[in-house]
Amino acid sequence: MKSWNRSTFTLWLLTIFTALPGCDSPDRPLTLTLTGSSTIAPLASEIGKRFERQHPEVRIDVQTGGSSRGIADAQNGLADIGMVSRGLRPEENNLYGFTLARDGIAVITHKDNPVQQLTDQQIIAIYTGQVTNWKEVGGQDAPITVVNKAEGRSTLALFLQHFSLKSQDIAADVIIGDNEQGIKTVAGNPDAIGYVSIGTAEFDAQQSIPIKLLPLGSVPATIENVRKGSFPLSRPLNLVTGTPPEGWVKEFISFAQSAQVHDLIKEQYFVPLEK
Amino acid sequence: MSLWRNDKLLAWCLRGCASIAGLIILLIIVFLALEAIPALQQVGASKFFFDRGWHPSPLASEGHFNLAPMLVGTLMATGGAILLATPLGIGAALFCHYYAPPFLARLYRRLIELLAGIPSVIYGLWGLVVLVPLIRQLEPPGPSLLAGILILALMILPTIALLADAALAGLPREYTQGAAALGFSRFSLIWHVALPAAKSGLLTGILLGTMRALGETMAVLMVCGNVVQVPGNIFDPIRTLTANIALEMAYAMGDHRSALFVSGLLLMALVMALIATVEILKPKSSP
């Protein structure tokens, strides 16, 4: 019995060592590391899996940490590719950016809320605390619960930028982290208003979670309008590199931009770009 | 001779383990301090208490770094939870020991152990979908200091109950027998003999409960609303120091990141102050 145990152990050890990545070809490190936006990460990891199947000699390692980390890691060379879910700023022009897809931000309310539309001015008034009751914007007599995103998130940055607001101006009742937390908060509160990634919102609304996507500037908040570029509150999803992409990095980026991954992009409720 | 040698070996092994454990704590404090120093130097320590608000992100143009509302929020949520959970927890232990029939006491203990084992994120989710809407019907918006206190009280209740239970179980039999011989009523026995004798153990339970409440992150993050403010009443949303770190660390850069380590350092200082206080309050004589 004892010898059997020992041989099983050796077998396990062998299996583990041969399964370790990189051991089969020690001459070249073949792991591509992507870090950054948590919005892009699930998509990148799906694209990575498909890429690995076509090129078994390459491994794709995806880590989140936010767009700012994507920028920093690409600049410092800590990652091969950074993921950034916003447009690049002028001071970031030392990076090379490649747009994968687009994403929109939808303003959401509870499904039972009778308010069908809000103007940009009304949204600004609500978020700055000038309007605190739904009856002031055509709804029922109920106090508005303003749901805002936490500091540092690119969704917050995009929202602030679109409405020319400052983080200090916002009078929030609830501050949330990720999109799902925002949707759960609004779904549980008929008087809440929030904003989340349009892909997540449209998916959850179809799953009969009681939320409603409000049109913005009278453009309905749909994936279709983001694709057409007519939805005002949308953003590009970018892959960035610190140096001009070469070799496998270049291969991966052009693969991620090709029509071969459009189905994956749609599955994540993002909007693929037509070349 | 060989026994003596083994003894010495064991003693050195244990000394080694103890110093490693001590060293880890020291290293954590040093690490926290090193990460926090850039912000303390750039921003200045006083700004962390007297600034206009908490807007540390470089995206928000100028930075504001006031941690005081979060310190207040943490203390209020923890204090409220302790006030609620201590009588309930000690009451549960007393019920188990002095009033419940044995089979019920056993069932009750297993139930409380189960309560201790539920992951905090489950409490958080339950709070978000059940408790918060209930509180909203009372007074909008719902996510609030009250929700945090209730969830935290529920989470630390088993800690306090189990430690109180252990403390009561550890009392010498002569105490209860002596009290019974003197014709004490059950209430007098509990009030005048059991509770004073188990004081040290009860205090340890409360201390551990307080630590858990202070350090709890996920559930509090989900039910408290996370607005940085000193709450005006129990229905106002608050943000705790732990929730602040969890909410923003993944997205923080530069001074913002460093400022989050300052909030970690503050939390550490709070815990150390608490332990020191309890150490002073504790009855000196060994039980």
Side-chain angles (χ1 to χ4, degrees):
Chain A
M1 201 62 191
K2 197 155 194 154
S3 71
W4 182 81
N5 267 340
R6 192 171 297 161
S7 66
T8 334
F9 180 66
T10 324
L11 210 68
W12 268 109
L13 220 60
L14 269 174
T15 323
I16 289 165
F17 274 109
T18 47
L20 275 178
C23 279
D24 40 359
S25 54
D27 49 332
R28 206 157 56 137
L30 283 176
T31 304
L32 291 187
T33 312
L34 281 78
T35 64
S37 163
S38 59
T39 310
I40 306 179
L43 173 64
S45 109
E46 286 302 313
I47 294 176
K49 274 181 210 155
R50 186 169 288 181
F51 191 74
E52 282 172 0
R53 238 174 300 165
Q54 291 186 8
H55 308 275
E57 66 272 36
V58 184
R59 292 198 176 272
I60 310 290
D61 178 22
V62 179
Q63 295 164 15
T64 58
S67 297
S68 315
R69 183 181 171 198
I71 295 272
D73 284 0
Q75 268 167 350
N76 307 336
L78 285 174
D80 297 300
I81 301 172
M83 301 177 284
V84 182
S85 56
R86 55 170 169 77
L88 293 182
R89 302 208 183 93
E91 70 267 24
E92 290 156 1
N93 62 4
N94 56 339
L95 291 168
Y96 298 83
F98 306 89
T99 304
L100 280 187
R102 288 188 81 83
D103 178 29
I105 295 178
V107 174
I108 57 169
T109 57
H110 194 275
K111 202 172 184 151
D112 298 339
N113 193 322
V115 174
Q116 295 300 331
Q117 186 167 2
L118 291 169
T119 65
D120 282 12
Q121 282 315 310
Q122 283 171 326
I123 292 173
I124 291 171
I126 288 171
Y127 268 89
T128 51
Q130 289 155 20
V131 168
T132 55
N133 195 304
W134 280 110
K135 73 176 176 203
E136 293 172 64
V137 291
Q140 290 166 329
D141 181 11
I144 301 177
T145 302
V146 175
V147 182
N148 195 32
K149 279 249 176 185
E151 287 270 335
R153 309 263 168 166
S154 52
T155 318
L156 170 71
L158 185 59
F159 183 83
L160 293 178
Q161 185 196 329
H162 178 81
F163 289 109
S164 311
L165 290 169
K166 273 187 178 174
S167 172
Q168 290 95 308
D169 304 334
I170 289 187
D173 297 307
V174 181
I175 293 175
I176 48 137
D178 60 14
N179 292 321
E180 279 301 336
Q181 198 191 352
I183 286 170
K184 284 206 176 67
T185 304
V186 174
N189 184 344
D191 305 323
I193 182 169
Y195 57 90
V196 292
S197 163
I198 200 168
T200 324
E202 197 172 282
F203 178 78
D204 282 9
Q206 281 167 6
Q207 304 299 307
S208 64
I209 288 171
I211 56 164
K212 183 165 64 181
L213 286 73
L214 294 186
L216 207 66
S218 71
V219 182
T222 62
I223 301 270
E224 198 45 48
N225 286 333
V226 174
R227 188 204 318 279
K228 283 191 288 195
S230 59
F231 190 68
L233 192 41
S234 72
R235 60 177 167 186
L237 304 182
N238 287 317
L239 296 181
V240 301
T241 56
T243 52
E246 305 172 329
W248 285 113
V249 174
K250 191 177 180 183
E251 285 273 318
F252 180 77
I253 290 176
S254 49
F255 179 75
Q257 283 187 307
S258 72
Q260 296 176 69
V261 298
H262 278 186
D263 58 322
L264 296 178
I265 294 175
K266 282 178 196 152
E267 270 171 29
Q268 307 271 339
Y269 289 83
F270 295 132
V271 183
L273 301 175
E274 312 298 337
K275 275 242 157 175
Chain B
M1 188 68 180
S2 87
L3 198 72
W4 182 80
R5 192 176 290 158
N6 277 346
D7 247 12
K8 204 163 185 183
L9 195 69
L10 182 68
W12 278 108
C13 273
L14 294 179
R15 264 174 221 161
C17 290
S19 37
I20 287 171
L23 205 65
I24 288 172
I25 294 163
L26 276 182
L27 282 175
I28 289 174
I29 295 175
V30 167
F31 169 75
L32 271 177
L34 281 180
E35 292 280 349
I37 280 172
L40 286 170
Q41 280 177 340
Q42 293 271 323
V43 179
S46 69
K47 276 192 98 178
F48 283 103
F49 294 98
F50 303 111
D51 217 342
R52 276 198 290 139
W54 171 259
H55 300 284
S57 169
L59 304 174
S61 57
E62 72 252 46
H64 294 122
F65 295 91
N66 193 353
L67 288 172
M70 289 180 253
L71 186 63
V72 174
T74 305
L75 288 174
M76 288 178 101
T78 306
I82 285 294
L83 283 182
L84 212 62
T86 302
L88 287 175
I90 293 178
L94 288 174
F95 170 74
C96 265
H97 261 274
Y98 297 104
Y99 291 97
F103 87 94
L104 192 65
R106 267 182 63 163
L107 190 75
Y108 197 70
R109 262 184 211 123
R110 295 291 161 274
L111 220 66
I112 287 182
E113 278 164 15
L114 197 69
L115 207 61
I118 297 175
S120 68
V121 67
I122 305 289
Y123 282 110
L125 195 63
W126 177 80
L128 186 62
V129 300
V130 180
L131 188 64
V132 165
L134 279 178
I135 293 176
R136 194 181 56 79
Q137 285 175 1
L138 228 60
E139 171 110 26
S144 55
L145 173 60
L146 177 64
I149 287 176
L150 292 177
I151 288 282
L152 283 179
L154 196 61
M155 291 178 69
I156 64 176
L157 179 99
T159 311
I160 294 179
L162 291 173
L163 274 143
D165 196 47
L168 291 173
L171 290 183
R173 276 183 76 87
E174 296 84 64
Y175 285 21
T176 39
Q177 281 170 348
L182 286 171
F184 273 37
S185 72
R186 195 171 289 185
F187 175 78
S188 307
L189 161 72
I190 290 170
W191 194 248
H192 295 291
V193 179
L195 285 181
K199 191 176 160 196
S200 168
L202 298 181
L203 217 59
T204 311
I206 296 171
L207 178 68
L208 280 177
T210 314
M211 298 296 174
R212 190 166 183 210
L214 273 179
E216 174 45 43
T217 308
M218 203 57 216
V220 171
L221 176 75
M222 290 167 96
V223 302
C224 281
N226 302 317
V227 177
V228 183
Q229 62 179 9
V230 176
N233 65 52
I234 204 161
F235 295 105
D236 278 348
I238 56 152
R239 186 186 293 188
T240 62
L241 288 167
T242 48
N244 189 41
I245 297 171
L247 205 57
E248 300 191 356
M249 186 53 92
Y251 296 83
M253 305 291 298
D255 277 354
H256 182 189
R257 193 180 119 91
S258 192
L260 291 178
F261 278 96
V262 176
S263 53
L265 209 58
L266 200 60
L267 202 60
M268 193 83 194
L270 205 62
V271 171
M272 289 198 291
L274 194 74
I275 292 178
T277 318
V278 171
E279 204 55 45
I280 293 164
L281 283 181
K282 230 177 194 169
K284 285 289 176 290
S285 59
S286 57

